[in-house]
Amino acid sequence: MNLKDTIRTIPDFPKPGIMFRDITTLMTNRRGFSEAVIRLSAPYQDAFVDNVVGIEARGFVFGAAVAYELNSGFVPVRKKGKLPFDTYEQDYELEYGTDVLEMHADAIRKGEKILLIDDLIATGGTAEAAIKVLRKAGAVVIGAAFVIDLPDLGGRKKIEDMGVPVTTLVAFDGH
Ligand code: AMP
């Protein structure tokens, strides 16, 4: 099936000029959801991933399903202030200002093999911050997988330049 056809585009959301790629229409399509999870997991079936890490919030949906598929654990990376225990944190640039990602300090042991999952990679700033958090914990990030790539924004290269292989399932031109 063509996964791209299951993703809805909302022009000018959340602000003028942004083409918002709405993945909820893929999630509610049962063949689309299961195909996306299988294709995200497939390259890592024999990789002995210790934990899949999902980025809040849509990365939780795909990340948890991929973790189940790979028989690995799941660890959430969240926006600052949501996790109750001690955390590692990393700030990152937004278009206006900065934000902070956090992960529980005891979630991952040094040397664990991690697969990072999110719904979409645009500039790569969010995934870069997540990888930095993971490296603070001593994790080995063996890959990052996204349903959607916006190649014009250069995120894949940013992440590959950090030494992390990237897989994506569909691509859209533009922002
Ligand atoms: P970035 O840090 O620039 O790679 O942005 C990635 C994050 O922002 C992901 O968590 C996406 O969910 C969200 N995002 C960025 N651009 C879009 C877009 N055009 N449509 C939907 N989500 C987006």
Side-chain angles (χ1 to χ4, degrees):
M1 75 179 294
N2 188 349
L3 277 184
K4 200 167 171 178
D5 292 344
T6 71
I7 298 163
R8 173 166 60 191
T9 296
I10 312 281
D12 300 322
F13 182 89
K15 57 182 191 199
I18 302 287
M19 298 290 274
F20 191 84
R21 308 302 175 179
D22 177 14
I23 204 154
T24 64
T25 48
L26 180 156
M27 291 173 182
T28 194
N29 180 313
R30 71 173 87 165
R31 283 182 54 221
F33 185 62
S34 99
E35 179 162 329
V37 170
I38 287 166
R39 286 176 54 192
L40 289 169
S41 310
Y44 298 95
Q45 282 292 356
D46 300 319
F48 300 101
V49 170
D50 293 299
N51 274 294
V52 171
V53 168
I55 304 176
E56 184 172 4
R58 288 170 293 236
F60 293 175
V61 176
F62 293 96
V66 169
Y68 181 82
E69 208 32 53
L70 297 179
N71 292 306
S72 70
F74 176 80
V75 173
V77 165
R78 302 203 65 180
K79 306 279 167 57
K80 188 173 174 63
K82 304 278 185 71
L83 290 170
F85 188 61
D86 298 343
T87 60
Y88 291 111
E89 59 179 53
Q90 177 66 47
D91 55 9
Y92 62 108
E93 301 278 328
L94 296 173
E95 203 171 341
Y96 304 104
T98 61
D99 212 340
V100 178
L101 287 182
E102 287 188 311
M103 182 180 73
H104 272 150
D106 63 349
I108 285 171
R109 288 185 310 276
K110 204 170 169 10
E112 276 192 12
K113 292 207 282 181
I114 300 301
L115 171 62
L116 180 68
I117 298 276
D118 203 359
D119 66 325
L120 180 148
I121 181 159
T123 66
T126 311
E128 178 186 34
I131 291 166
K132 286 181 176 170
V133 169
L134 284 159
R135 287 179 171 169
K136 285 178 185 174
V140 180
V141 185
I142 64 163
F146 306 84
V147 181
I148 302 171
D149 187 14
L150 305 185
D152 296 347
L153 295 178
R156 170 191 286 266
K157 183 172 179 339
K158 181 182 284 182
I159 301 310
E160 287 176 344
D161 285 349
M162 297 176 82
V164 176
V166 173
T167 54
T168 61
L169 306 186
V170 304
F172 288 93
D173 293 337
H175 288 219

PDB file of all heavy atoms in Angstrom, residues 13 18-23 55-59 79 92-94 118-128 146 148 150 153 155 175, ligand 1:
ATOM      1  N   PHE A  13      -1.075  25.246   9.120  1.00  0.00           N
ATOM      2  CA  PHE A  13      -1.225  24.852  10.521  1.00  0.00           C
ATOM      3  C   PHE A  13       0.156  24.462  11.048  1.00  0.00           C
ATOM      4  O   PHE A  13       0.867  23.714  10.380  1.00  0.00           O
ATOM      5  CB  PHE A  13      -2.188  23.665  10.667  1.00  0.00           C
ATOM      6  CG  PHE A  13      -2.407  23.262  12.109  1.00  0.00           C
ATOM      7  CD1 PHE A  13      -3.417  23.833  12.865  1.00  0.00           C
ATOM      8  CD2 PHE A  13      -1.568  22.323  12.710  1.00  0.00           C
ATOM      9  CE1 PHE A  13      -3.597  23.473  14.191  1.00  0.00           C
ATOM     10  CE2 PHE A  13      -1.736  21.977  14.048  1.00  0.00           C
ATOM     11  CZ  PHE A  13      -2.748  22.545  14.781  1.00  0.00           C
ATOM     12  N   ILE A  18       3.180  26.782   6.878  1.00  0.00           N
ATOM     13  CA  ILE A  18       3.530  25.406   7.265  1.00  0.00           C
ATOM     14  C   ILE A  18       2.511  24.443   6.644  1.00  0.00           C
ATOM     15  O   ILE A  18       1.299  24.658   6.742  1.00  0.00           O
ATOM     16  CB  ILE A  18       3.515  25.218   8.803  1.00  0.00           C
ATOM     17  CG1 ILE A  18       4.480  26.194   9.490  1.00  0.00           C
ATOM     18  CG2 ILE A  18       3.818  23.775   9.180  1.00  0.00           C
ATOM     19  CD1 ILE A  18       5.941  25.891   9.321  1.00  0.00           C
ATOM     20  N   MET A  19       3.044  23.395   5.996  1.00  0.00           N
ATOM     21  CA  MET A  19       2.189  22.299   5.521  1.00  0.00           C
ATOM     22  C   MET A  19       2.256  21.226   6.608  1.00  0.00           C
ATOM     23  O   MET A  19       3.262  20.512   6.696  1.00  0.00           O
ATOM     24  CB  MET A  19       2.713  21.741   4.194  1.00  0.00           C
ATOM     25  CG  MET A  19       2.711  22.752   3.075  1.00  0.00           C
ATOM     26  SD  MET A  19       1.021  23.146   2.558  1.00  0.00           S
ATOM     27  CE  MET A  19       0.737  21.851   1.382  1.00  0.00           C
ATOM     28  N   PHE A  20       1.223  21.139   7.430  1.00  0.00           N
ATOM     29  CA  PHE A  20       1.264  20.203   8.555  1.00  0.00           C
ATOM     30  C   PHE A  20       0.928  18.808   8.051  1.00  0.00           C
ATOM     31  O   PHE A  20      -0.137  18.575   7.478  1.00  0.00           O
ATOM     32  CB  PHE A  20       0.290  20.620   9.653  1.00  0.00           C
ATOM     33  CG  PHE A  20       0.494  19.842  10.928  1.00  0.00           C
ATOM     34  CD1 PHE A  20       1.453  20.231  11.852  1.00  0.00           C
ATOM     35  CD2 PHE A  20      -0.258  18.702  11.187  1.00  0.00           C
ATOM     36  CE1 PHE A  20       1.660  19.497  13.018  1.00  0.00           C
ATOM     37  CE2 PHE A  20      -0.054  17.963  12.357  1.00  0.00           C
ATOM     38  CZ  PHE A  20       0.901  18.366  13.267  1.00  0.00           C
ATOM     39  N   ARG A  21       1.843  17.876   8.250  1.00  0.00           N
ATOM     40  CA  ARG A  21       1.638  16.473   7.833  1.00  0.00           C
ATOM     41  C   ARG A  21       0.973  15.747   8.994  1.00  0.00           C
ATOM     42  O   ARG A  21       1.635  15.432   9.992  1.00  0.00           O
ATOM     43  CB  ARG A  21       2.965  15.833   7.453  1.00  0.00           C
ATOM     44  CG  ARG A  21       3.768  16.629   6.429  1.00  0.00           C
ATOM     45  CD  ARG A  21       3.021  16.871   5.135  1.00  0.00           C
ATOM     46  NE  ARG A  21       3.790  17.736   4.228  1.00  0.00           N
ATOM     47  CZ  ARG A  21       3.384  18.085   3.018  1.00  0.00           C
ATOM     48  NH1 ARG A  21       2.205  17.684   2.565  1.00  0.00           N
ATOM     49  NH2 ARG A  21       4.119  18.860   2.252  1.00  0.00           N
ATOM     50  N   ASP A  22      -0.319  15.519   8.848  1.00  0.00           N
ATOM     51  CA  ASP A  22      -1.149  14.986   9.937  1.00  0.00           C
ATOM     52  C   ASP A  22      -1.163  13.465   9.881  1.00  0.00           C
ATOM     53  O   ASP A  22      -1.846  12.853   9.062  1.00  0.00           O
ATOM     54  CB  ASP A  22      -2.564  15.548   9.787  1.00  0.00           C
ATOM     55  CG  ASP A  22      -3.520  14.983  10.829  1.00  0.00           C
ATOM     56  OD1 ASP A  22      -3.042  14.381  11.820  1.00  0.00           O
ATOM     57  OD2 ASP A  22      -4.739  15.139  10.644  1.00  0.00           O
ATOM     58  N   ILE A  23      -0.396  12.877  10.813  1.00  0.00           N
ATOM     59  CA  ILE A  23      -0.200  11.427  10.793  1.00  0.00           C
ATOM     60  C   ILE A  23      -1.333  10.671  11.488  1.00  0.00           C
ATOM     61  O   ILE A  23      -1.365   9.442  11.461  1.00  0.00           O
ATOM     62  CB  ILE A  23       1.186  11.108  11.379  1.00  0.00           C
ATOM     63  CG1 ILE A  23       1.683   9.768  10.871  1.00  0.00           C
ATOM     64  CG2 ILE A  23       1.175  11.138  12.899  1.00  0.00           C
ATOM     65  CD1 ILE A  23       3.143   9.632  10.848  1.00  0.00           C
ATOM     66  N   ILE A  55      10.012   9.981  21.030  1.00  0.00           N
ATOM     67  CA  ILE A  55       9.967  11.404  21.389  1.00  0.00           C
ATOM     68  C   ILE A  55       8.517  11.844  21.499  1.00  0.00           C
ATOM     69  O   ILE A  55       7.700  11.579  20.611  1.00  0.00           O
ATOM     70  CB  ILE A  55      10.713  12.254  20.335  1.00  0.00           C
ATOM     71  CG1 ILE A  55      12.162  11.759  20.160  1.00  0.00           C
ATOM     72  CG2 ILE A  55      10.675  13.723  20.732  1.00  0.00           C
ATOM     73  CD1 ILE A  55      12.935  12.483  19.053  1.00  0.00           C
ATOM     74  N   GLU A  56       8.209  12.548  22.613  1.00  0.00           N
ATOM     75  CA  GLU A  56       6.853  13.042  22.857  1.00  0.00           C
ATOM     76  C   GLU A  56       6.350  13.880  21.678  1.00  0.00           C
ATOM     77  O   GLU A  56       7.089  14.739  21.189  1.00  0.00           O
ATOM     78  CB  GLU A  56       6.851  13.897  24.134  1.00  0.00           C
ATOM     79  CG  GLU A  56       5.501  14.386  24.542  1.00  0.00           C
ATOM     80  CD  GLU A  56       5.526  15.053  25.924  1.00  0.00           C
ATOM     81  OE1 GLU A  56       6.600  15.203  26.526  1.00  0.00           O
ATOM     82  OE2 GLU A  56       4.424  15.405  26.368  1.00  0.00           O
ATOM     83  N   ALA A  57       5.114  13.712  21.252  1.00  0.00           N
ATOM     84  CA  ALA A  57       4.147  12.735  21.711  1.00  0.00           C
ATOM     85  C   ALA A  57       3.883  11.673  20.652  1.00  0.00           C
ATOM     86  O   ALA A  57       3.638  10.516  20.988  1.00  0.00           O
ATOM     87  CB  ALA A  57       2.827  13.439  22.046  1.00  0.00           C
ATOM     88  N   ARG A  58       3.966  12.055  19.376  1.00  0.00           N
ATOM     89  CA  ARG A  58       3.634  11.056  18.344  1.00  0.00           C
ATOM     90  C   ARG A  58       4.688   9.968  18.263  1.00  0.00           C
ATOM     91  O   ARG A  58       4.394   8.844  17.821  1.00  0.00           O
ATOM     92  CB  ARG A  58       3.421  11.757  16.997  1.00  0.00           C
ATOM     93  CG  ARG A  58       2.122  12.544  16.972  1.00  0.00           C
ATOM     94  CD  ARG A  58       2.050  13.412  15.735  1.00  0.00           C
ATOM     95  NE  ARG A  58       3.061  14.457  15.781  1.00  0.00           N
ATOM     96  CZ  ARG A  58       2.823  15.757  15.680  1.00  0.00           C
ATOM     97  NH1 ARG A  58       1.599  16.171  15.503  1.00  0.00           N
ATOM     98  NH2 ARG A  58       3.781  16.638  15.741  1.00  0.00           N
ATOM     99  N   GLY A  59       5.904  10.263  18.721  1.00  0.00           N
ATOM    100  CA  GLY A  59       6.937   9.231  18.764  1.00  0.00           C
ATOM    101  C   GLY A  59       6.609   8.133  19.769  1.00  0.00           C
ATOM    102  O   GLY A  59       7.132   7.024  19.673  1.00  0.00           O
ATOM    103  N   LYS A  79       9.074  16.480  26.966  1.00  0.00           N
ATOM    104  CA  LYS A  79       9.301  17.909  27.168  1.00  0.00           C
ATOM    105  C   LYS A  79       9.544  18.155  28.661  1.00  0.00           C
ATOM    106  O   LYS A  79       9.018  17.424  29.520  1.00  0.00           O
ATOM    107  CB  LYS A  79       8.080  18.717  26.708  1.00  0.00           C
ATOM    108  CG  LYS A  79       7.650  18.424  25.280  1.00  0.00           C
ATOM    109  CD  LYS A  79       8.490  19.175  24.259  1.00  0.00           C
ATOM    110  CE  LYS A  79       8.284  18.648  22.851  1.00  0.00           C
ATOM    111  NZ  LYS A  79       6.900  18.678  22.378  1.00  0.00           N
ATOM    112  N   TYR A  92      17.306  22.693  23.044  1.00  0.00           N
ATOM    113  CA  TYR A  92      17.435  22.751  21.588  1.00  0.00           C
ATOM    114  C   TYR A  92      16.682  23.964  21.061  1.00  0.00           C
ATOM    115  O   TYR A  92      15.784  24.480  21.716  1.00  0.00           O
ATOM    116  CB  TYR A  92      16.954  21.450  20.930  1.00  0.00           C
ATOM    117  CG  TYR A  92      15.495  21.106  21.132  1.00  0.00           C
ATOM    118  CD1 TYR A  92      14.588  21.208  20.079  1.00  0.00           C
ATOM    119  CD2 TYR A  92      15.025  20.656  22.354  1.00  0.00           C
ATOM    120  CE1 TYR A  92      13.256  20.884  20.251  1.00  0.00           C
ATOM    121  CE2 TYR A  92      13.690  20.333  22.534  1.00  0.00           C
ATOM    122  CZ  TYR A  92      12.817  20.443  21.480  1.00  0.00           C
ATOM    123  OH  TYR A  92      11.503  20.124  21.661  1.00  0.00           O
ATOM    124  N   GLU A  93      17.110  24.389  19.867  1.00  0.00           N
ATOM    125  CA  GLU A  93      16.572  25.613  19.262  1.00  0.00           C
ATOM    126  C   GLU A  93      15.227  25.342  18.600  1.00  0.00           C
ATOM    127  O   GLU A  93      15.068  24.374  17.872  1.00  0.00           O
ATOM    128  CB  GLU A  93      17.527  26.103  18.158  1.00  0.00           C
ATOM    129  CG  GLU A  93      18.937  26.399  18.631  1.00  0.00           C
ATOM    130  CD  GLU A  93      19.050  27.775  19.266  1.00  0.00           C
ATOM    131  OE1 GLU A  93      18.312  28.675  18.843  1.00  0.00           O
ATOM    132  OE2 GLU A  93      19.865  27.923  20.195  1.00  0.00           O
ATOM    133  N   LEU A  94      14.284  26.214  18.875  1.00  0.00           N
ATOM    134  CA  LEU A  94      13.047  26.239  18.096  1.00  0.00           C
ATOM    135  C   LEU A  94      13.126  27.463  17.187  1.00  0.00           C
ATOM    136  O   LEU A  94      14.064  28.247  17.277  1.00  0.00           O
ATOM    137  CB  LEU A  94      11.841  26.368  19.021  1.00  0.00           C
ATOM    138  CG  LEU A  94      11.612  25.212  19.981  1.00  0.00           C
ATOM    139  CD1 LEU A  94      10.493  25.544  20.951  1.00  0.00           C
ATOM    140  CD2 LEU A  94      11.293  23.954  19.212  1.00  0.00           C
ATOM    141  N   ASP A 118      10.615   8.767  15.892  1.00  0.00           N
ATOM    142  CA  ASP A 118       9.649   9.877  15.935  1.00  0.00           C
ATOM    143  C   ASP A 118       8.792   9.796  14.671  1.00  0.00           C
ATOM    144  O   ASP A 118       9.101   9.037  13.755  1.00  0.00           O
ATOM    145  CB  ASP A 118      10.366  11.222  16.049  1.00  0.00           C
ATOM    146  CG  ASP A 118       9.451  12.311  16.649  1.00  0.00           C
ATOM    147  OD1 ASP A 118       8.268  12.032  16.947  1.00  0.00           O
ATOM    148  OD2 ASP A 118       9.923  13.449  16.809  1.00  0.00           O
ATOM    149  N   ASP A 119       7.726  10.594  14.651  1.00  0.00           N
ATOM    150  CA  ASP A 119       6.836  10.508  13.479  1.00  0.00           C
ATOM    151  C   ASP A 119       7.453  11.180  12.263  1.00  0.00           C
ATOM    152  O   ASP A 119       7.264  10.723  11.141  1.00  0.00           O
ATOM    153  CB  ASP A 119       5.454  11.117  13.791  1.00  0.00           C
ATOM    154  CG  ASP A 119       5.494  12.616  14.052  1.00  0.00           C
ATOM    155  OD1 ASP A 119       6.473  13.098  14.634  1.00  0.00           O
ATOM    156  OD2 ASP A 119       4.528  13.308  13.655  1.00  0.00           O
ATOM    157  N   LEU A 120       8.210  12.269  12.501  1.00  0.00           N
ATOM    158  CA  LEU A 120       8.630  13.113  11.369  1.00  0.00           C
ATOM    159  C   LEU A 120       9.961  13.766  11.686  1.00  0.00           C
ATOM    160  O   LEU A 120      10.185  14.200  12.822  1.00  0.00           O
ATOM    161  CB  LEU A 120       7.540  14.176  11.160  1.00  0.00           C
ATOM    162  CG  LEU A 120       7.687  15.205  10.054  1.00  0.00           C
ATOM    163  CD1 LEU A 120       6.304  15.581   9.517  1.00  0.00           C
ATOM    164  CD2 LEU A 120       8.426  16.439  10.512  1.00  0.00           C
ATOM    165  N   ILE A 121      10.836  13.845  10.677  1.00  0.00           N
ATOM    166  CA  ILE A 121      12.072  14.634  10.826  1.00  0.00           C
ATOM    167  C   ILE A 121      12.032  15.799   9.849  1.00  0.00           C
ATOM    168  O   ILE A 121      11.803  15.603   8.652  1.00  0.00           O
ATOM    169  CB  ILE A 121      13.341  13.765  10.680  1.00  0.00           C
ATOM    170  CG1 ILE A 121      14.590  14.633  10.880  1.00  0.00           C
ATOM    171  CG2 ILE A 121      13.385  13.006   9.350  1.00  0.00           C
ATOM    172  CD1 ILE A 121      15.833  13.863  11.245  1.00  0.00           C
ATOM    173  N   ALA A 122      12.227  16.993  10.408  1.00  0.00           N
ATOM    174  CA  ALA A 122      12.222  18.216   9.597  1.00  0.00           C
ATOM    175  C   ALA A 122      13.637  18.790   9.621  1.00  0.00           C
ATOM    176  O   ALA A 122      14.493  18.360   8.848  1.00  0.00           O
ATOM    177  CB  ALA A 122      11.176  19.183  10.128  1.00  0.00           C
ATOM    178  N   THR A 123      13.939  19.725  10.531  1.00  0.00           N
ATOM    179  CA  THR A 123      15.312  20.248  10.641  1.00  0.00           C
ATOM    180  C   THR A 123      16.244  19.281  11.370  1.00  0.00           C
ATOM    181  O   THR A 123      17.467  19.448  11.337  1.00  0.00           O
ATOM    182  CB  THR A 123      15.341  21.570  11.422  1.00  0.00           C
ATOM    183  OG1 THR A 123      14.956  21.302  12.783  1.00  0.00           O
ATOM    184  CG2 THR A 123      14.396  22.593  10.824  1.00  0.00           C
ATOM    185  N   GLY A 124      15.660  18.323  12.088  1.00  0.00           N
ATOM    186  CA  GLY A 124      16.469  17.381  12.858  1.00  0.00           C
ATOM    187  C   GLY A 124      16.843  17.883  14.245  1.00  0.00           C
ATOM    188  O   GLY A 124      17.499  17.168  15.002  1.00  0.00           O
ATOM    189  N   GLY A 125      16.415  19.092  14.600  1.00  0.00           N
ATOM    190  CA  GLY A 125      16.789  19.651  15.898  1.00  0.00           C
ATOM    191  C   GLY A 125      16.277  18.840  17.082  1.00  0.00           C
ATOM    192  O   GLY A 125      16.977  18.665  18.081  1.00  0.00           O
ATOM    193  N   THR A 126      15.059  18.332  16.963  1.00  0.00           N
ATOM    194  CA  THR A 126      14.468  17.546  18.052  1.00  0.00           C
ATOM    195  C   THR A 126      15.212  16.227  18.216  1.00  0.00           C
ATOM    196  O   THR A 126      15.580  15.835  19.342  1.00  0.00           O
ATOM    197  CB  THR A 126      12.976  17.273  17.763  1.00  0.00           C
ATOM    198  OG1 THR A 126      12.336  18.493  17.404  1.00  0.00           O
ATOM    199  CG2 THR A 126      12.285  16.656  18.965  1.00  0.00           C
ATOM    200  N   ALA A 127      15.447  15.540  17.094  1.00  0.00           N
ATOM    201  CA  ALA A 127      16.150  14.247  17.162  1.00  0.00           C
ATOM    202  C   ALA A 127      17.586  14.439  17.643  1.00  0.00           C
ATOM    203  O   ALA A 127      18.104  13.628  18.424  1.00  0.00           O
ATOM    204  CB  ALA A 127      16.123  13.570  15.787  1.00  0.00           C
ATOM    205  N   GLU A 128      18.227  15.527  17.219  1.00  0.00           N
ATOM    206  CA  GLU A 128      19.597  15.813  17.670  1.00  0.00           C
ATOM    207  C   GLU A 128      19.635  15.958  19.196  1.00  0.00           C
ATOM    208  O   GLU A 128      20.511  15.399  19.865  1.00  0.00           O
ATOM    209  CB  GLU A 128      20.096  17.103  17.011  1.00  0.00           C
ATOM    210  CG  GLU A 128      21.489  17.504  17.459  1.00  0.00           C
ATOM    211  CD  GLU A 128      21.902  18.880  16.906  1.00  0.00           C
ATOM    212  OE1 GLU A 128      21.040  19.775  16.762  1.00  0.00           O
ATOM    213  OE2 GLU A 128      23.093  19.045  16.632  1.00  0.00           O
ATOM    214  N   PHE A 146      12.006   7.319  11.231  1.00  0.00           N
ATOM    215  CA  PHE A 146      10.906   8.280  11.183  1.00  0.00           C
ATOM    216  C   PHE A 146       9.927   7.832  10.099  1.00  0.00           C
ATOM    217  O   PHE A 146      10.357   7.330   9.053  1.00  0.00           O
ATOM    218  CB  PHE A 146      11.435   9.668  10.821  1.00  0.00           C
ATOM    219  CG  PHE A 146      12.548  10.140  11.710  1.00  0.00           C
ATOM    220  CD1 PHE A 146      13.868   9.772  11.459  1.00  0.00           C
ATOM    221  CD2 PHE A 146      12.277  10.929  12.820  1.00  0.00           C
ATOM    222  CE1 PHE A 146      14.900  10.185  12.286  1.00  0.00           C
ATOM    223  CE2 PHE A 146      13.303  11.350  13.659  1.00  0.00           C
ATOM    224  CZ  PHE A 146      14.619  10.980  13.390  1.00  0.00           C
ATOM    225  N   ILE A 148       7.993  10.018   8.427  1.00  0.00           N
ATOM    226  CA  ILE A 148       8.001  11.063   7.391  1.00  0.00           C
ATOM    227  C   ILE A 148       9.332  11.819   7.410  1.00  0.00           C
ATOM    228  O   ILE A 148       9.813  12.224   8.476  1.00  0.00           O
ATOM    229  CB  ILE A 148       6.858  12.072   7.642  1.00  0.00           C
ATOM    230  CG1 ILE A 148       5.505  11.355   7.647  1.00  0.00           C
ATOM    231  CG2 ILE A 148       6.890  13.192   6.590  1.00  0.00           C
ATOM    232  CD1 ILE A 148       4.349  12.253   8.118  1.00  0.00           C
ATOM    233  N   LEU A 150      11.104  15.303   5.722  1.00  0.00           N
ATOM    234  CA  LEU A 150      10.991  16.531   4.929  1.00  0.00           C
ATOM    235  C   LEU A 150      12.414  16.857   4.473  1.00  0.00           C
ATOM    236  O   LEU A 150      13.138  17.618   5.136  1.00  0.00           O
ATOM    237  CB  LEU A 150      10.402  17.682   5.766  1.00  0.00           C
ATOM    238  CG  LEU A 150       9.052  17.440   6.444  1.00  0.00           C
ATOM    239  CD1 LEU A 150       8.561  18.723   7.135  1.00  0.00           C
ATOM    240  CD2 LEU A 150       8.000  16.950   5.451  1.00  0.00           C
ATOM    241  N   LEU A 153      14.555  20.187   4.487  1.00  0.00           N
ATOM    242  CA  LEU A 153      14.956  20.847   5.731  1.00  0.00           C
ATOM    243  C   LEU A 153      16.256  20.288   6.325  1.00  0.00           C
ATOM    244  O   LEU A 153      16.766  20.807   7.321  1.00  0.00           O
ATOM    245  CB  LEU A 153      13.819  20.789   6.751  1.00  0.00           C
ATOM    246  CG  LEU A 153      12.587  21.594   6.293  1.00  0.00           C
ATOM    247  CD1 LEU A 153      11.456  21.482   7.290  1.00  0.00           C
ATOM    248  CD2 LEU A 153      12.934  23.054   6.089  1.00  0.00           C
ATOM    249  N   GLY A 155      17.276  17.541   7.945  1.00  0.00           N
ATOM    250  CA  GLY A 155      17.402  16.824   9.224  1.00  0.00           C
ATOM    251  C   GLY A 155      18.161  15.518   9.121  1.00  0.00           C
ATOM    252  O   GLY A 155      18.973  15.199   9.991  1.00  0.00           O
ATOM    253  N   HIS A 175       8.272  22.526   3.207  1.00  0.00           N
ATOM    254  CA  HIS A 175       8.276  22.628   4.669  1.00  0.00           C
ATOM    255  C   HIS A 175       7.099  21.895   5.283  1.00  0.00           C
ATOM    256  O   HIS A 175       6.056  21.800   4.705  1.00  0.00           O
ATOM    257  CB  HIS A 175       8.208  24.094   5.096  1.00  0.00           C
ATOM    258  CG  HIS A 175       9.505  24.812   4.828  1.00  0.00           C
ATOM    259  ND1 HIS A 175      10.031  25.741   5.676  1.00  0.00           N
ATOM    260  CD2 HIS A 175      10.360  24.708   3.800  1.00  0.00           C
ATOM    261  CE1 HIS A 175      11.164  26.201   5.166  1.00  0.00           C
ATOM    262  NE2 HIS A 175      11.382  25.580   4.032  1.00  0.00           N
TER     263      HIS A 175
HETATM  264  P1  AMP B   1      12.488  19.114  13.717  1.00  0.00           P
HETATM  265  O1  AMP B   1      13.045  19.238  15.105  1.00  0.00           O
HETATM  266  O2  AMP B   1      12.580  20.390  12.923  1.00  0.00           O
HETATM  267  O3  AMP B   1      13.077  17.934  12.973  1.00  0.00           O
HETATM  268  O4  AMP B   1      10.919  18.862  13.868  1.00  0.00           O
HETATM  269  C1  AMP B   1      10.449  17.591  14.184  1.00  0.00           C
HETATM  270  C2  AMP B   1       9.296  17.638  15.128  1.00  0.00           C
HETATM  271  O5  AMP B   1       8.358  18.683  14.814  1.00  0.00           O
HETATM  272  C3  AMP B   1       8.540  16.330  15.049  1.00  0.00           C
HETATM  273  O6  AMP B   1       8.276  15.900  16.380  1.00  0.00           O
HETATM  274  C4  AMP B   1       7.288  16.640  14.272  1.00  0.00           C
HETATM  275  O7  AMP B   1       6.187  16.020  14.874  1.00  0.00           O
HETATM  276  C5  AMP B   1       7.131  18.161  14.285  1.00  0.00           C
HETATM  277  N1  AMP B   1       6.968  18.744  12.935  1.00  0.00           N
HETATM  278  C6  AMP B   1       7.853  19.565  12.299  1.00  0.00           C
HETATM  279  N2  AMP B   1       7.406  19.946  11.085  1.00  0.00           N
HETATM  280  C7  AMP B   1       6.208  19.346  10.914  1.00  0.00           C
HETATM  281  C8  AMP B   1       5.238  19.317   9.847  1.00  0.00           C
HETATM  282  N3  AMP B   1       5.410  19.994   8.689  1.00  0.00           N
HETATM  283  N4  AMP B   1       4.121  18.575  10.021  1.00  0.00           N
HETATM  284  C9  AMP B   1       3.949  17.875  11.162  1.00  0.00           C
HETATM  285  N5  AMP B   1       4.803  17.863  12.202  1.00  0.00           N
HETATM  286  C10 AMP B   1       5.935  18.585  12.097  1.00  0.00           C
END
